[in-house]
Amino acid sequence: MNIVLMIFDSLRKDCVGAYGSPPWGKVHTPHFDAFAQEALVLTKAFPESLPTLPARRAIYTGNRVYPFDKGDFRLKGDFVGSPGWGPIPEDELTLAEILHEAGYRTGLISDVYHMFKPSKNFWRGFDQWTFLRGQEMDHARSGPRLTQEEIDHWFPEEVRGKKGHVGIEFIQQCMMNMVDRRREEDYFSPRVLQGAARWLEENWDADRFFLTIESFDPHEPWLPPRHYRKMYLPEEGREQVVSAYGDVEDLDPALVARTRANYMGEVTMCDRWFGHLMESMRVLGLLDDTMVIFTSDHGHSIGDRNYMGKRGYPAAPEVYDIPLMIRFPKAEHAGQTSDVIVQHHDITATILEAAGVEPPVDIEGISFLDDAVNGGTGQREHVTVGWGSSPTVITDKWWFNCKVDGTGVLLYDRDASDPFARNVAHEHPDAIDELFAQALEDAGGSFPEWIVQLAQDQADAPGCSDLAARA
């Protein structure tokens, strides 16, 4: 059996039609939806750690990254990011290395430039890895630089005030990298998915293959071709393509609407070229002997509860709730839905079980294959998702978020009609202690001192409880 792993960065679960719609309207994803009709659809999938690189480290190794005891990175060639923002540890095997040793031909097609910065090693184990240049702050070009008029067009003053000089450099590099785009095929997700289809065509002689496809879109900057944005907002107006990473209650509603339209346009463009990939697989005769896994690393808040961005504290469902669908060979299990609770690192264990490959060392991910296809309840009753100094514990009943020192508690009742409208921590002190104890247990019984220090230096989230969780 062949295996294709498709990861879209920042793809909100509610922007995949099979899962519903975001609060502001339906997103057109006919190819994602057609895939869902032939797939096993998981409804309770969550990351293991966030953001971008910690999430991939969990997927690529099948191991936990939280509580970031191997995550204090300060490496040349990259900024000091969130805890865990660094390479895969040398003492951990990757899924690609394991499958390569088992006789699979392995390939990676990606435009996630963070994976390829100096000091990174996410291509370990791949027979071919292709890095498509130009996303975000990738220094693919050094000119021509934008004029002030162009900066004003792409970067509204209201958003610029929230991001400052860093934001100007961001938009400068983004637009320099994209200066020669003329056709839709020149955009990033089309390039990635065309490259993946080409890899499949070129590797027809492989007995078995494992292909990982990484599309940074629909991550910001949200710059789809005009015709995609006009599907959602026909009117012309001021442009808005970056995330404010802050409160947007006072932002011009027209700019919020433009941001959403650009994001939705990017999602629909990703959908179209995912359809190209699946059609290529059909033409190549691969759908009868290939398992295709479809997921994202996280979502993005776009005005939800007046916030635009992504963050670990307070944690938000539109960021943490991810799509996960698996199309089996010959569309076996088509139309099935499973509500087993799973995390990113469980994908690794599930792939290995489906491939019949025993990992040479134990991994922490748990295969959900049998439970998901046979209607089982799963092996997890909760997940703990790590992001910086703020774990989030999610059960069917509760959404718990605090700092690792137990302060700044947020507790939401997922059974409420509007779960995130009110922090109920004061009403359920026993629940917060129990959930914090779970976060501590999942961390191995303690948190690294440097993570505790980060928590103590971090301000409490607005609306948090003054109760302190105790394990």
Side-chain angles (χ1 to χ4, degrees), residues 451-466:
I451 292 289
V452 175
Q453 186 61 53
L454 281 179
Q456 293 171 351
D457 293 342
Q458 183 179 14
D460 287 349
C464 72
S465 171
D466 57 8

Side-chain angles (χ1 to χ4, degrees), residues 93-262:
L93 289 173
T94 68
L95 178 59
E97 288 171 324
I98 295 169
L99 291 176
H100 175 83
E101 287 301 312
Y104 277 77
R105 186 177 301 179
T106 55
L108 170 65
I109 311 294
S110 173
D111 68 340
V112 182
Y113 78 110
H114 298 299
M115 297 166 57
F116 301 96
K117 288 177 177 176
S119 78
K120 304 306 182 292
N121 59 357
F122 286 83
W123 53 88
R124 275 175 36 195
F126 290 105
D127 293 308
Q128 176 185 329
W129 51 272
T130 300
F131 171 30
L132 298 169
R133 299 289 305 273
Q135 279 281 16
E136 243 188 20
M137 291 290 286
D138 176 23
H139 292 280
R141 293 179 181 272
S142 55
R145 296 181 67 79
L146 299 184
T147 65
Q148 187 60 50
E149 182 180 1
E150 289 170 323
I151 292 173
D152 293 340
H153 172 77
W154 292 111
F155 199 16
E157 187 175 348
E158 300 96 311
V159 180
R160 200 181 315 167
K162 297 177 183 294
K163 294 180 74 73
H165 176 71
V166 173
I168 293 176
E169 287 304 306
F170 178 89
I171 203 68
Q172 278 274 16
Q173 189 66 59
C174 289
M175 300 313 299
M176 284 192 296
N177 288 346
M178 302 172 190
V179 69
D180 59 351
R181 298 200 301 196
R182 297 292 181 265
R183 305 176 302 157
E184 183 175 333
E185 291 86 343
D186 299 328
Y187 284 65
F188 290 117
S189 62
R191 289 172 58 203
V192 169
L193 288 156
Q194 288 175 98
R198 189 161 49 249
W199 188 93
L200 293 171
E201 187 174 347
E202 292 170 350
N203 287 274
W204 60 268
D205 61 333
D207 292 331
R208 296 183 296 173
F209 65 77
F210 169 56
L211 174 63
T212 299
I213 310 166
E214 292 265 15
S215 172
F216 200 48
D217 286 348
H219 193 286
E220 62 175 313
W222 299 302
L223 288 157
R226 182 179 289 108
H227 51 274
Y228 285 109
R229 187 265 300 164
K230 292 184 73 172
M231 293 174 67
Y232 303 102
L233 188 67
E235 305 83 27
E236 295 300 332
R238 288 198 296 163
E239 195 52 273
Q240 197 339 67
V241 302
V242 299
S243 190
Y245 286 93
D247 188 280
V248 292
E249 187 174 12
D250 60 347
L251 191 64
D252 182 350
L255 289 178
V256 176
R258 182 75 172 209
T259 310
R260 289 171 173 167
N262 282 330

Side-chain angles (χ1 to χ4, degrees), residues 393-414:
V393 182
I394 304 166
T395 71
D396 285 336
K397 172 67 173 175
W398 300 114
W399 185 288
F400 170 78
N401 186 209
C402 73
K403 297 186 289 184
V404 295
D405 61 0
T407 63
V409 173
L410 297 163
L411 181 69
Y412 299 105
D413 183 351
R414 300 184 73 198

